[in-house]
Amino acid sequence: MKIGVVYAVPSRQSWLSIDVPEGTTVKEAIEKSGILHQFPEIDLETQKVGIFGKATTLDTVLEEGARIEIYRPITVDPKTVKRRAAPEAPAAGGSES
């Protein structure tokens, strides 16, 4: 069955599609994908993983088409970061004559 494994850092991202046999776990698929060689900083003992944005465990058995996501640790407290101002949208109606 085909599944995907994704991981991203600010400077690059990787999305790998691999074939795995039925009964493969999240951990087995991550190891088979080779993503741990591309990103040696990944630590499966401490980093969380998910399938389609929903947290899961390394021993979860995969289904066809699953997208495994490896999440980076939060490095900044979101409560202390100032929100970036959204760019102002142009006024509707165009220019006045």
Side-chain angles (χ1 to χ4, degrees):
M1 64 184 179
K2 280 209 174 292
I3 60 103
V5 179
V6 298
Y7 184 72
V9 293
S11 59
R12 72 180 184 146
Q13 62 185 10
S14 182
W15 184 319
L16 306 170
S17 265
I18 62 170
D19 285 310
V20 295
E22 298 257 344
T24 298
T25 65
V26 169
K27 184 176 183 180
E28 292 166 341
I30 290 171
E31 291 170 345
K32 181 178 180 182
S33 74
I35 204 158
L36 298 176
H37 296 292
Q38 289 183 27
F39 298 93
E41 69 273 15
I42 294 173
D43 179 2
L44 294 178
E45 298 297 319
T46 60
Q47 287 178 247
K48 296 183 188 268
V49 296
I51 297 175
F52 290 117
K54 193 171 189 179
T56 193
T57 60
L58 293 171
D59 60 354
T60 298
V61 175
L62 296 168
E63 294 180 6
E64 172 73 33
R67 182 186 69 217
I68 300 168
E69 302 157 346
I70 304 168
Y71 305 123
R72 290 183 291 125
I74 295 177
T75 57
V76 178
D77 181 355
K79 293 179 182 176
T80 62
V81 176
K82 291 183 180 180
R83 293 180 186 241
R84 295 181 182 163
E88 290 186 32
S95 62
E96 294 180 25
S97 300

